[in-house]
Amino acid sequence: MSTLTVALVQTDIQWCDRAANLAKLSTQLLECKDVDLILLPETFATGFAIAERRIRVDETGEDVLVWMKKMSATLDAVIAGSVLVHQGNKAANRFFWVWPNGDVQFYDKRHLFRLGNEGDFVVAGTNRTVLTVKGVRILPLVCYDLRFPVWSRNCNDYDVLVNVANWPAARRHIWDTLLKARAMENQAFVLGVNRVGEDGNGVAHNGGTAGYDFVGEPLGIAPDNQEAICKLTLDLQALAQFKTSFPAFLDADVFSIES
């Protein structure tokens, strides 16, 4: 496939209210017709309420995954976003990917946000995952993962890096900078999806949802401090031509990652 059309959904998440968030998104996503992939923020159904056991879903995804399957089939697009899922006495921050035919894949967030004590409530994932959507190879990451370039290093095994987040406004400059850096160093498209609004802990988020091409140039950026859907078309042929003309990936260091 030479192009991939994506919709990046920047939304204000109601704290611990799955029903309200899914109802609102059901309306918002009606704008996402004729796209291949729809990306939702980290913990889109509840907010980053990692200490609240009552809002976690079981490993089947319960009502959240049922909703994702319904919307994916209705819009004929892959829908992806992270959900807090019961994992023993803790949770997994699970980045679900749902196909229109009902297929489901996922990636569990690897790097847990120490400053927010995420590790006290969430189990770290161990598997780096590459998914394929209409022939396009995608590396899914969640929020804090963005700070760790080894985990996101392109071993010539992906075309697009996706990061969904609840990234605070106080560190917005870092978010913007790292998204561009990951694109340039990995010679890949990078898509970042963040929320807006204040969460239940009083943490402000001002967005920064954006797509960048393989040299770090913006393809589209959602407006700050408001809900918006940013639609982009990724030209995979242009990526291939660039990598042929500037094959820096062939000089990358060989390494391995330990769990």
Side-chain angles (χ1 to χ4, degrees), residues 17 29 54 59 76 92 104 115 128 142 168 189 212 227 229 239 244:
D17 194 339
L29 295 194
R54 62 188 173 86
E59 291 200 12
D76 193 27
V104 177
L115 186 62
R128 182 179 178 277
V142 179
F189 293 101
Y212 296 94
E227 295 183 319
I229 295 177
L239 170 61
T244 297

Side-chain angles (χ1 to χ4, degrees), residues 49-233:
I50 53 175
E52 298 287 345
R53 292 184 59 85
R54 62 188 173 86
I55 54 88
R56 300 173 190 170
V57 299
D58 67 20
E59 291 200 12
T60 68
E62 295 178 319
D63 58 327
V64 179
L65 201 54
V66 168
W67 175 85
M68 293 179 78
K69 289 180 178 180
K70 177 182 176 181
M71 295 302 297
S72 178
T74 298
L75 296 168
D76 193 27
V78 176
I79 293 182
S82 99
V83 179
L84 294 171
V85 174
H86 283 293
Q87 192 82 349
N89 293 325
K90 294 186 177 183
N93 193 337
R94 182 156 294 173
F95 193 177
F96 279 120
W97 291 66
V98 178
W99 275 255
N101 66 1
D103 286 351
V104 177
Q105 291 182 263
F106 66 85
Y107 159 74
D108 286 347
K109 184 178 182 181
R110 161 80 168 190
H111 300 91
L112 305 181
F113 188 47
R114 184 179 299 272
L115 186 62
N117 300 315
E118 189 174 8
D120 291 345
F121 307 100
V122 177
V123 177
T126 58
N127 296 322
R128 182 179 178 277
T129 302
V130 175
L131 308 169
T132 302
V133 176
K134 296 197 170 182
V136 179
R137 303 168 303 168
I138 300 175
L139 179 76
L141 301 178
V142 179
C143 204
Y144 194 46
D145 284 331
L146 188 64
R147 285 182 174 266
F148 301 93
V150 173
W151 190 245
S152 60
R153 177 62 61 85
N154 194 349
C155 302
N156 203 29
D157 59 350
Y158 70 83
D159 310 300
V160 182
L161 184 157
V162 167
N163 187 291
V164 297
N166 276 214
W167 198 284
R171 290 181 286 278
R172 168 67 184 278
H173 173 68
I174 295 170
W175 165 259
D176 294 339
T177 302
L178 292 182
L179 288 175
K180 297 174 190 176
R182 297 292 89 88
M184 290 184 280
E185 70 194 9
N186 290 299
Q187 295 187 296
F189 293 101
V190 168
L191 307 175
V193 183
N194 195 26
R195 66 162 294 176
V196 292
E198 185 175 292
D199 70 16
N201 293 318
V203 177
H205 306 78
N206 64 357
T209 294
Y212 296 94
D213 72 7
F214 35 83
V215 294
E217 290 294 332
L219 298 171
I221 300 175
D224 286 357
N225 295 306
Q226 61 181 280
E227 295 183 319
I229 295 177
C230 186
K231 295 181 182 178
L232 308 171
T233 298

Side-chain angles (χ1 to χ4, degrees), residues 1-5 134-137 159-160 187-189 213-214 219 233-246 249:
M1 186 177 188
S2 60
T3 61
L4 186 75
T5 305
K134 296 197 170 182
V136 179
R137 303 168 303 168
D159 310 300
V160 182
Q187 295 187 296
F189 293 101
D213 72 7
F214 35 83
L219 298 171
T233 298
L234 310 184
D235 185 343
L236 280 300
Q237 185 175 356
L239 170 61
Q241 291 172 344
F242 174 73
K243 292 179 73 172
T244 297
S245 65
F246 191 78
F249 66 94

